[in-house]
Structure formats: structure tokens, C-alpha cells
Amino acid sequence: MNVKTTRTLGKLITLSLITSTMIHATNGDNLIAVGTKARGMGGTGIAVSHGAESGLGNAALITSVEGTEIGFGGTVFMPDIETTFNADMVNLPPQSSYKSDADLSMIPEVSIAHKIDNNWYIGIGMWGTAGMGTDYQDNDQNMSTGNAGNLRMVTNLQLMQFGVPIAYKTGGLSLAVTPVLQYGNLDINYVMPEGYQGLPSDMTVGAGLAQDFGFGYNLGIAYDFSANGVDGLTLGAVYKSSIEMNYDNQLTTAVGAMSLTLPNGDTLEQPEEYGVGIAYAMGQHTFAFDYKKIKWSDSKGYGDFGWNDSDVYAVGYEYTENEWTVRLGYNHADTAVAEIPGGDTNFGAAALNFFNLLGFPANAEDHYTVGASYEVTKAFSVDLAYVYADNTSDTFNTAGLMMGIDSVTTTHSEDSVSFQLAYKF
């Protein structure tokens, strides 16, 4: 990579970071995959190579690059989230249902991979990896008529990772390590209504936007069995370390207004994860399967909110004909957000149920994907993908809050379109 290319990448990363907005991710708060090709194949990418965009999924697979490859693109998210407070009919009239105004966002992705020699490969990239949030700030709120307005809550978490994948290949074996710098910002604010716990007037709760950087690493391995006489078969495995982030005053202010404390304060640690994959290419057809485990329960912050570990299963298919490639996929992740028992009488359990469903409804489970690529020239191609997250609805008990709100119901579905321009030289 020359100086001009490096400077151009820096400008793209800076512009993307400035212009990116809140995203909704789907495996907890993680994207099912970064990169348009992987998203079109259900998020599979542990054993099937997607060129430069494999730099974060499994960097051992950038060894498929024959020279230098650059990919630049992004994902447009269109989530549909609706939350209803189910009132105690003795104390309050029925509550209104509100849709979140955080229904359109954009997240960019830049990937570069370069073959140094027959053994060594290197890359650099910037990827939006995770995020979530809701926006009810324009809702009416009038507790005298029984309208809590979803507390006019606004939440916004954005995570972006910068990495330098380094891969080594010998025979059919590829190994890789990717040092990762993560940028994150978090904002939580809402309005406590007059009368709650004796408040004489509405009280706005929030500490403004908080930002932090954290460090981690990814490890990847892949083995191509072609050298052993089994053409087309590839196995892969990945490990991603946890990354600790601290968002000053965000979590403690948000839960402190409800008289709660969190064991890890304002720390919100992106969890470690590991996964394995298998891919088989047979002529024009490629089949792939991935399994990942995301350790939400062991991470600081998410564990405090009672998040569960997620088992993620992804299957993908790819068919190539001349200049065209068509992709299909399916992705299922066990929901990370589950109801905490005791919400009917226990204040703490009720408050956590309340925050999880109203502010951070990371409850999407099933995703259906389709994608395509067109090779305009041998050096330039265009990639597209569409992901649909099926509607998921959850109701958590919040009666222990003593606000007259027996439970909270959130329904959540998503549409997203990804695109990428790829250039090889």
C-alpha cells in the first residue's frame, strides 16, 4: 500500500466516523456480519473467504487475495420498533403504543488487503460492528391522563472498530491476528414524569454523550484441504477478545434515577466470542455454515443487565455464473435479552426489564438474506445484499416499579440494504 492509498483510507475513515449514525444490529448488539458479501450469505465468513472484507470476520481468509483489494461500502438500516406500556387498569387508563423514530441509519465499512509474498498478507480497515437504540423523544407525556409517553426515552450506542489484519499462509494452513482499536459512544436520556416517587415536576435524566476507546484482538485460522486431495473443503475458527469500554456517568446516571446501582458502574464491555465454520465449494456452488458463541453474560455491563449468552447459527449459499454471483442465507441467534424473574414484585428486576425492552431491545432472532455481485471488469465489481429480520415480540413484567405499569411489550423487525464497491489490482 502506497502513501496515497493510506491517506485516502484515512480520509474515508474520518468522513465515515463523522457521518455515521445509530445502527441497529441483530445478534445482540452485534451485526450478523460486516461486509456485503458475508451479509448476503447469512453472515457466514469463518470458513468462506470474501476477500478484503474478511479482515474482521476471519483474517486468515484474506490469503485468497492475489494482489491488492479494496472494498468500500455501507449498510442502510431500517428498523421498526414499537413499545407499549401495559397499564394496571385500576390505576391508569390504557397506554398508547409508540414507534421509535430511530428508523433509518447508515454505517460504513472500508477494507483493504494486500499480498506481500506467497506467505504473508496484511490489511487495514474500519468497520461499524455494533450499535442499538431507540428514540421516543417527541412523544406526548401527561401522567394526569395516564400517558407516560414511553418516558420520552432516547438511547444511542455506536461501535466502530479499526484493525490491521496480519495473515501467514503455508500450504493449506492460514493463521492470522488482528489488533483492534474500538471507538464507542453512548447516550441515554429520558424524562421521569411528575408524581413518580413524589417528584413535584418532570425530571430529565441524562449525562450527555460519553465516548471511549478500547483495545482488543482477533485470532483466526483456516485450513484448505485441497492440498490433501479434498478440493473445495475449508475449515475455519475464530476467537475475538472482549473489549472494555467506560462511558462516564452514562449507566450510573440512567439507573441511578431509579435508585439502582450496577456492579461495574459505567463499564460496558463488548463480549468475547468464538466460532467455527465449514465451507465446501463444488464447481459454481459454495455452501457455508458458521457457529458462534457470544459471551454476553460474562461481560461487564451487559451481564449487569442480565443479558444471556447467544448461540448464533448461520448458513449461506453462493452461485457463480460468468460475471454474476448470487447469494442466499439464514441466520439465527438466541436473543441476548431475556426477562429477569421477579419483575412483578422486585424493584431491581422490574427496572432492568424496563431498560432492556424500552431502551435496548436487542431481541431480534431470525434473519433471511439475499445478495448479488456483478463483475463490471476483472478489476472492479459491485456487491449488494438485503437482510430481513423477522418480527419478534417480547413482554417483560415491570409491576415492581410501582408506576402503575404492569409490563412492557416491544415488537422489533428490521430491513437493511448493504452495498460495496470492490477494486482489485
Side-chain angles (χ1 to χ4, degrees), residues 45-78:
I46 296 178
V48 58
S49 177
H50 300 300
E53 76 172 52
S54 292
L56 197 65
N58 182 357
L61 297 170
I62 67 172
T63 55
S64 68
V65 172
E66 297 179 353
T68 299
E69 182 175 322
I70 300 175
F72 177 74
T75 296
V76 179
F77 272 89
M78 295 161 282

PDB file of all heavy atoms in Angstrom, residues 45-78:
ATOM      1  N   GLY A  45     -18.744 -16.421   7.265  1.00  0.00           N
ATOM      2  CA  GLY A  45     -17.469 -15.860   6.861  1.00  0.00           C
ATOM      3  C   GLY A  45     -16.298 -16.424   7.644  1.00  0.00           C
ATOM      4  O   GLY A  45     -15.194 -15.911   7.555  1.00  0.00           O
ATOM      5  N   ILE A  46     -16.537 -17.491   8.412  1.00  0.00           N
ATOM      6  CA  ILE A  46     -15.448 -18.097   9.188  1.00  0.00           C
ATOM      7  C   ILE A  46     -14.628 -19.057   8.338  1.00  0.00           C
ATOM      8  O   ILE A  46     -13.425 -19.211   8.531  1.00  0.00           O
ATOM      9  CB  ILE A  46     -16.003 -18.810  10.437  1.00  0.00           C
ATOM     10  CG1 ILE A  46     -16.664 -17.782  11.381  1.00  0.00           C
ATOM     11  CG2 ILE A  46     -14.907 -19.561  11.181  1.00  0.00           C
ATOM     12  CD1 ILE A  46     -17.276 -18.397  12.621  1.00  0.00           C
ATOM     13  N   ALA A  47     -15.281 -19.692   7.342  1.00  0.00           N
ATOM     14  CA  ALA A  47     -14.564 -20.647   6.503  1.00  0.00           C
ATOM     15  C   ALA A  47     -14.641 -20.309   5.019  1.00  0.00           C
ATOM     16  O   ALA A  47     -13.929 -20.932   4.225  1.00  0.00           O
ATOM     17  CB  ALA A  47     -15.098 -22.062   6.737  1.00  0.00           C
ATOM     18  N   VAL A  48     -15.488 -19.359   4.636  1.00  0.00           N
ATOM     19  CA  VAL A  48     -15.578 -18.957   3.231  1.00  0.00           C
ATOM     20  C   VAL A  48     -14.996 -17.560   3.095  1.00  0.00           C
ATOM     21  O   VAL A  48     -15.344 -16.646   3.846  1.00  0.00           O
ATOM     22  CB  VAL A  48     -17.037 -19.006   2.716  1.00  0.00           C
ATOM     23  CG1 VAL A  48     -17.952 -18.110   3.539  1.00  0.00           C
ATOM     24  CG2 VAL A  48     -17.116 -18.640   1.241  1.00  0.00           C
ATOM     25  N   SER A  49     -14.083 -17.376   2.149  1.00  0.00           N
ATOM     26  CA  SER A  49     -13.399 -16.097   2.006  1.00  0.00           C
ATOM     27  C   SER A  49     -14.246 -15.103   1.220  1.00  0.00           C
ATOM     28  O   SER A  49     -14.880 -15.456   0.215  1.00  0.00           O
ATOM     29  CB  SER A  49     -12.056 -16.285   1.302  1.00  0.00           C
ATOM     30  OG  SER A  49     -11.424 -15.030   1.109  1.00  0.00           O
ATOM     31  N   HIS A  50     -14.233 -13.866   1.685  1.00  0.00           N
ATOM     32  CA  HIS A  50     -14.880 -12.762   0.972  1.00  0.00           C
ATOM     33  C   HIS A  50     -13.855 -11.696   0.600  1.00  0.00           C
ATOM     34  O   HIS A  50     -14.181 -10.514   0.499  1.00  0.00           O
ATOM     35  CB  HIS A  50     -15.985 -12.159   1.831  1.00  0.00           C
ATOM     36  CG  HIS A  50     -17.059 -13.134   2.207  1.00  0.00           C
ATOM     37  ND1 HIS A  50     -17.824 -13.789   1.265  1.00  0.00           N
ATOM     38  CD2 HIS A  50     -17.491 -13.579   3.418  1.00  0.00           C
ATOM     39  CE1 HIS A  50     -18.681 -14.589   1.874  1.00  0.00           C
ATOM     40  NE2 HIS A  50     -18.502 -14.486   3.175  1.00  0.00           N
ATOM     41  N   GLY A  51     -12.602 -12.121   0.424  1.00  0.00           N
ATOM     42  CA  GLY A  51     -11.563 -11.194   0.023  1.00  0.00           C
ATOM     43  C   GLY A  51     -11.187 -10.245   1.135  1.00  0.00           C
ATOM     44  O   GLY A  51     -11.078 -10.622   2.299  1.00  0.00           O
ATOM     45  N   ALA A  52     -11.016  -8.966   0.784  1.00  0.00           N
ATOM     46  CA  ALA A  52     -10.568  -7.973   1.762  1.00  0.00           C
ATOM     47  C   ALA A  52     -11.534  -7.827   2.920  1.00  0.00           C
ATOM     48  O   ALA A  52     -11.127  -7.568   4.054  1.00  0.00           O
ATOM     49  CB  ALA A  52     -10.363  -6.624   1.078  1.00  0.00           C
ATOM     50  N   GLU A  53     -12.837  -8.010   2.676  1.00  0.00           N
ATOM     51  CA  GLU A  53     -13.807  -7.817   3.750  1.00  0.00           C
ATOM     52  C   GLU A  53     -13.738  -8.911   4.811  1.00  0.00           C
ATOM     53  O   GLU A  53     -14.387  -8.806   5.853  1.00  0.00           O
ATOM     54  CB  GLU A  53     -15.225  -7.680   3.199  1.00  0.00           C
ATOM     55  CG  GLU A  53     -15.880  -8.963   2.759  1.00  0.00           C
ATOM     56  CD  GLU A  53     -17.353  -8.781   2.403  1.00  0.00           C
ATOM     57  OE1 GLU A  53     -17.684  -7.892   1.597  1.00  0.00           O
ATOM     58  OE2 GLU A  53     -18.180  -9.546   2.940  1.00  0.00           O
ATOM     59  N   SER A  54     -12.933  -9.959   4.593  1.00  0.00           N
ATOM     60  CA  SER A  54     -12.725 -10.993   5.611  1.00  0.00           C
ATOM     61  C   SER A  54     -11.786 -10.534   6.713  1.00  0.00           C
ATOM     62  O   SER A  54     -11.553 -11.267   7.669  1.00  0.00           O
ATOM     63  CB  SER A  54     -12.169 -12.276   4.979  1.00  0.00           C
ATOM     64  OG  SER A  54     -13.120 -12.899   4.151  1.00  0.00           O
ATOM     65  N   GLY A  55     -11.253  -9.328   6.607  1.00  0.00           N
ATOM     66  CA  GLY A  55     -10.273  -8.844   7.569  1.00  0.00           C
ATOM     67  C   GLY A  55     -10.731  -8.837   9.002  1.00  0.00           C
ATOM     68  O   GLY A  55      -9.930  -8.973   9.927  1.00  0.00           O
ATOM     69  N   LEU A  56     -12.040  -8.686   9.235  1.00  0.00           N
ATOM     70  CA  LEU A  56     -12.554  -8.714  10.609  1.00  0.00           C
ATOM     71  C   LEU A  56     -13.272 -10.021  10.923  1.00  0.00           C
ATOM     72  O   LEU A  56     -13.244 -10.487  12.048  1.00  0.00           O
ATOM     73  CB  LEU A  56     -13.494  -7.529  10.850  1.00  0.00           C
ATOM     74  CG  LEU A  56     -13.784  -7.209  12.309  1.00  0.00           C
ATOM     75  CD1 LEU A  56     -12.519  -6.746  13.025  1.00  0.00           C
ATOM     76  CD2 LEU A  56     -14.867  -6.137  12.438  1.00  0.00           C
ATOM     77  N   GLY A  57     -13.921 -10.616   9.930  1.00  0.00           N
ATOM     78  CA  GLY A  57     -14.655 -11.866  10.171  1.00  0.00           C
ATOM     79  C   GLY A  57     -13.737 -13.022  10.496  1.00  0.00           C
ATOM     80  O   GLY A  57     -13.876 -13.688  11.516  1.00  0.00           O
ATOM     81  N   ASN A  58     -12.775 -13.303   9.622  1.00  0.00           N
ATOM     82  CA  ASN A  58     -11.696 -14.257   9.866  1.00  0.00           C
ATOM     83  C   ASN A  58     -10.537 -13.835   8.984  1.00  0.00           C
ATOM     84  O   ASN A  58     -10.492 -14.150   7.788  1.00  0.00           O
ATOM     85  CB  ASN A  58     -12.102 -15.690   9.567  1.00  0.00           C
ATOM     86  CG  ASN A  58     -10.982 -16.687   9.876  1.00  0.00           C
ATOM     87  OD1 ASN A  58      -9.880 -16.307  10.271  1.00  0.00           O
ATOM     88  ND2 ASN A  58     -11.262 -17.978   9.690  1.00  0.00           N
ATOM     89  N   ALA A  59      -9.583 -13.124   9.575  1.00  0.00           N
ATOM     90  CA  ALA A  59      -8.489 -12.543   8.798  1.00  0.00           C
ATOM     91  C   ALA A  59      -7.608 -13.591   8.142  1.00  0.00           C
ATOM     92  O   ALA A  59      -6.863 -13.270   7.200  1.00  0.00           O
ATOM     93  CB  ALA A  59      -7.644 -11.635   9.691  1.00  0.00           C
ATOM     94  N   ALA A  60      -7.677 -14.850   8.583  1.00  0.00           N
ATOM     95  CA  ALA A  60      -6.897 -15.900   7.930  1.00  0.00           C
ATOM     96  C   ALA A  60      -7.319 -16.078   6.482  1.00  0.00           C
ATOM     97  O   ALA A  60      -6.563 -16.628   5.667  1.00  0.00           O
ATOM     98  CB  ALA A  60      -7.052 -17.214   8.687  1.00  0.00           C
ATOM     99  N   LEU A  61      -8.517 -15.602   6.127  1.00  0.00           N
ATOM    100  CA  LEU A  61      -9.049 -15.789   4.782  1.00  0.00           C
ATOM    101  C   LEU A  61      -8.692 -14.668   3.813  1.00  0.00           C
ATOM    102  O   LEU A  61      -9.050 -14.743   2.636  1.00  0.00           O
ATOM    103  CB  LEU A  61     -10.561 -15.968   4.848  1.00  0.00           C
ATOM    104  CG  LEU A  61     -11.020 -17.219   5.607  1.00  0.00           C
ATOM    105  CD1 LEU A  61     -12.521 -17.199   5.829  1.00  0.00           C
ATOM    106  CD2 LEU A  61     -10.609 -18.482   4.855  1.00  0.00           C
ATOM    107  N   ILE A  62      -7.992 -13.629   4.289  1.00  0.00           N
ATOM    108  CA  ILE A  62      -7.531 -12.627   3.326  1.00  0.00           C
ATOM    109  C   ILE A  62      -6.409 -13.198   2.457  1.00  0.00           C
ATOM    110  O   ILE A  62      -5.976 -12.559   1.492  1.00  0.00           O
ATOM    111  CB  ILE A  62      -7.058 -11.316   4.006  1.00  0.00           C
ATOM    112  CG1 ILE A  62      -5.796 -11.548   4.838  1.00  0.00           C
ATOM    113  CG2 ILE A  62      -8.175 -10.698   4.831  1.00  0.00           C
ATOM    114  CD1 ILE A  62      -5.173 -10.262   5.365  1.00  0.00           C
ATOM    115  N   THR A  63      -5.977 -14.409   2.777  1.00  0.00           N
ATOM    116  CA  THR A  63      -4.946 -15.062   1.970  1.00  0.00           C
ATOM    117  C   THR A  63      -5.465 -15.480   0.597  1.00  0.00           C
ATOM    118  O   THR A  63      -4.704 -16.001  -0.215  1.00  0.00           O
ATOM    119  CB  THR A  63      -4.390 -16.288   2.710  1.00  0.00           C
ATOM    120  OG1 THR A  63      -5.465 -17.161   3.065  1.00  0.00           O
ATOM    121  CG2 THR A  63      -3.657 -15.864   3.974  1.00  0.00           C
ATOM    122  N   SER A  64      -6.752 -15.260   0.331  1.00  0.00           N
ATOM    123  CA  SER A  64      -7.290 -15.520  -1.012  1.00  0.00           C
ATOM    124  C   SER A  64      -7.002 -14.364  -1.967  1.00  0.00           C
ATOM    125  O   SER A  64      -7.175 -14.495  -3.176  1.00  0.00           O
ATOM    126  CB  SER A  64      -8.802 -15.757  -0.944  1.00  0.00           C
ATOM    127  OG  SER A  64      -9.485 -14.557  -0.574  1.00  0.00           O
ATOM    128  N   VAL A  65      -6.572 -13.212  -1.418  1.00  0.00           N
ATOM    129  CA  VAL A  65      -6.292 -12.034  -2.237  1.00  0.00           C
ATOM    130  C   VAL A  65      -5.037 -12.270  -3.067  1.00  0.00           C
ATOM    131  O   VAL A  65      -4.005 -12.712  -2.537  1.00  0.00           O
ATOM    132  CB  VAL A  65      -6.137 -10.783  -1.341  1.00  0.00           C
ATOM    133  CG1 VAL A  65      -5.665  -9.589  -2.151  1.00  0.00           C
ATOM    134  CG2 VAL A  65      -7.451 -10.476  -0.650  1.00  0.00           C
ATOM    135  N   GLU A  66      -5.093 -11.982  -4.367  1.00  0.00           N
ATOM    136  CA  GLU A  66      -3.985 -12.274  -5.267  1.00  0.00           C
ATOM    137  C   GLU A  66      -3.032 -11.100  -5.444  1.00  0.00           C
ATOM    138  O   GLU A  66      -1.917 -11.273  -5.935  1.00  0.00           O
ATOM    139  CB  GLU A  66      -4.531 -12.711  -6.625  1.00  0.00           C
ATOM    140  CG  GLU A  66      -5.338 -14.010  -6.541  1.00  0.00           C
ATOM    141  CD  GLU A  66      -5.904 -14.423  -7.885  1.00  0.00           C
ATOM    142  OE1 GLU A  66      -5.783 -13.628  -8.846  1.00  0.00           O
ATOM    143  OE2 GLU A  66      -6.462 -15.535  -7.972  1.00  0.00           O
ATOM    144  N   GLY A  67      -3.466  -9.902  -5.086  1.00  0.00           N
ATOM    145  CA  GLY A  67      -2.609  -8.723  -5.185  1.00  0.00           C
ATOM    146  C   GLY A  67      -3.006  -7.738  -4.102  1.00  0.00           C
ATOM    147  O   GLY A  67      -2.678  -7.926  -2.940  1.00  0.00           O
ATOM    148  N   THR A  68      -3.705  -6.694  -4.502  1.00  0.00           N
ATOM    149  CA  THR A  68      -4.282  -5.742  -3.554  1.00  0.00           C
ATOM    150  C   THR A  68      -5.768  -5.610  -3.844  1.00  0.00           C
ATOM    151  O   THR A  68      -6.176  -5.529  -5.008  1.00  0.00           O
ATOM    152  CB  THR A  68      -3.609  -4.356  -3.672  1.00  0.00           C
ATOM    153  OG1 THR A  68      -2.216  -4.489  -3.383  1.00  0.00           O
ATOM    154  CG2 THR A  68      -4.229  -3.373  -2.687  1.00  0.00           C
ATOM    155  N   GLU A  69      -6.571  -5.614  -2.814  1.00  0.00           N
ATOM    156  CA  GLU A  69      -8.019  -5.490  -2.966  1.00  0.00           C
ATOM    157  C   GLU A  69      -8.544  -4.438  -2.005  1.00  0.00           C
ATOM    158  O   GLU A  69      -8.166  -4.413  -0.832  1.00  0.00           O
ATOM    159  CB  GLU A  69      -8.702  -6.830  -2.705  1.00  0.00           C
ATOM    160  CG  GLU A  69     -10.207  -6.807  -2.900  1.00  0.00           C
ATOM    161  CD  GLU A  69     -10.836  -8.189  -2.753  1.00  0.00           C
ATOM    162  OE1 GLU A  69     -10.219  -9.174  -3.212  1.00  0.00           O
ATOM    163  OE2 GLU A  69     -11.942  -8.276  -2.177  1.00  0.00           O
ATOM    164  N   ILE A  70      -9.415  -3.566  -2.505  1.00  0.00           N
ATOM    165  CA  ILE A  70     -10.034  -2.513  -1.697  1.00  0.00           C
ATOM    166  C   ILE A  70     -11.544  -2.643  -1.810  1.00  0.00           C
ATOM    167  O   ILE A  70     -12.092  -2.779  -2.910  1.00  0.00           O
ATOM    168  CB  ILE A  70      -9.602  -1.113  -2.174  1.00  0.00           C
ATOM    169  CG1 ILE A  70      -8.089  -0.946  -2.080  1.00  0.00           C
ATOM    170  CG2 ILE A  70     -10.294  -0.029  -1.362  1.00  0.00           C
ATOM    171  CD1 ILE A  70      -7.589   0.365  -2.639  1.00  0.00           C
ATOM    172  N   GLY A  71     -12.225  -2.599  -0.669  1.00  0.00           N
ATOM    173  CA  GLY A  71     -13.682  -2.602  -0.650  1.00  0.00           C
ATOM    174  C   GLY A  71     -14.193  -1.439   0.168  1.00  0.00           C
ATOM    175  O   GLY A  71     -13.687  -1.158   1.265  1.00  0.00           O
ATOM    176  N   PHE A  72     -15.155  -0.721  -0.377  1.00  0.00           N
ATOM    177  CA  PHE A  72     -15.751   0.414   0.339  1.00  0.00           C
ATOM    178  C   PHE A  72     -17.258   0.367   0.159  1.00  0.00           C
ATOM    179  O   PHE A  72     -17.757   0.246  -0.956  1.00  0.00           O
ATOM    180  CB  PHE A  72     -15.209   1.743  -0.189  1.00  0.00           C
ATOM    181  CG  PHE A  72     -15.843   2.948   0.449  1.00  0.00           C
ATOM    182  CD1 PHE A  72     -15.518   3.307   1.746  1.00  0.00           C
ATOM    183  CD2 PHE A  72     -16.785   3.701  -0.236  1.00  0.00           C
ATOM    184  CE1 PHE A  72     -16.105   4.410   2.345  1.00  0.00           C
ATOM    185  CE2 PHE A  72     -17.382   4.800   0.365  1.00  0.00           C
ATOM    186  CZ  PHE A  72     -17.045   5.164   1.654  1.00  0.00           C
ATOM    187  N   GLY A  73     -17.988   0.448   1.267  1.00  0.00           N
ATOM    188  CA  GLY A  73     -19.436   0.399   1.162  1.00  0.00           C
ATOM    189  C   GLY A  73     -20.095   0.730   2.484  1.00  0.00           C
ATOM    190  O   GLY A  73     -19.511   1.398   3.345  1.00  0.00           O
ATOM    191  N   GLY A  74     -21.296   0.242   2.665  1.00  0.00           N
ATOM    192  CA  GLY A  74     -22.019   0.531   3.891  1.00  0.00           C
ATOM    193  C   GLY A  74     -23.348  -0.201   3.935  1.00  0.00           C
ATOM    194  O   GLY A  74     -23.723  -0.917   2.995  1.00  0.00           O
ATOM    195  N   THR A  75     -24.049  -0.027   5.037  1.00  0.00           N
ATOM    196  CA  THR A  75     -25.340  -0.661   5.254  1.00  0.00           C
ATOM    197  C   THR A  75     -26.350   0.388   5.689  1.00  0.00           C
ATOM    198  O   THR A  75     -26.079   1.188   6.582  1.00  0.00           O
ATOM    199  CB  THR A  75     -25.240  -1.765   6.328  1.00  0.00           C
ATOM    200  OG1 THR A  75     -24.373  -2.800   5.857  1.00  0.00           O
ATOM    201  CG2 THR A  75     -26.601  -2.368   6.629  1.00  0.00           C
ATOM    202  N   VAL A  76     -27.501   0.381   5.046  1.00  0.00           N
ATOM    203  CA  VAL A  76     -28.616   1.246   5.421  1.00  0.00           C
ATOM    204  C   VAL A  76     -29.599   0.408   6.233  1.00  0.00           C
ATOM    205  O   VAL A  76     -30.124  -0.593   5.723  1.00  0.00           O
ATOM    206  CB  VAL A  76     -29.313   1.838   4.186  1.00  0.00           C
ATOM    207  CG1 VAL A  76     -30.487   2.719   4.611  1.00  0.00           C
ATOM    208  CG2 VAL A  76     -28.326   2.632   3.340  1.00  0.00           C
ATOM    209  N   PHE A  77     -29.836   0.790   7.499  1.00  0.00           N
ATOM    210  CA  PHE A  77     -30.738   0.054   8.375  1.00  0.00           C
ATOM    211  C   PHE A  77     -32.080   0.761   8.485  1.00  0.00           C
ATOM    212  O   PHE A  77     -32.149   1.987   8.614  1.00  0.00           O
ATOM    213  CB  PHE A  77     -30.138  -0.069   9.777  1.00  0.00           C
ATOM    214  CG  PHE A  77     -29.252  -1.268   9.938  1.00  0.00           C
ATOM    215  CD1 PHE A  77     -27.911  -1.171   9.650  1.00  0.00           C
ATOM    216  CD2 PHE A  77     -29.761  -2.477  10.351  1.00  0.00           C
ATOM    217  CE1 PHE A  77     -27.080  -2.264   9.784  1.00  0.00           C
ATOM    218  CE2 PHE A  77     -28.949  -3.579  10.485  1.00  0.00           C
ATOM    219  CZ  PHE A  77     -27.597  -3.474  10.197  1.00  0.00           C
ATOM    220  N   MET A  78     -33.128  -0.052   8.470  1.00  0.00           N
ATOM    221  CA  MET A  78     -34.490   0.463   8.605  1.00  0.00           C
ATOM    222  C   MET A  78     -35.239  -0.363   9.651  1.00  0.00           C
ATOM    223  O   MET A  78     -36.075  -1.207   9.310  1.00  0.00           O
ATOM    224  CB  MET A  78     -35.195   0.436   7.252  1.00  0.00           C
ATOM    225  CG  MET A  78     -34.576   1.377   6.231  1.00  0.00           C
ATOM    226  SD  MET A  78     -35.006   0.997   4.514  1.00  0.00           S
ATOM    227  CE  MET A  78     -33.910  -0.401   4.196  1.00  0.00           C
TER     228      MET A  78
END
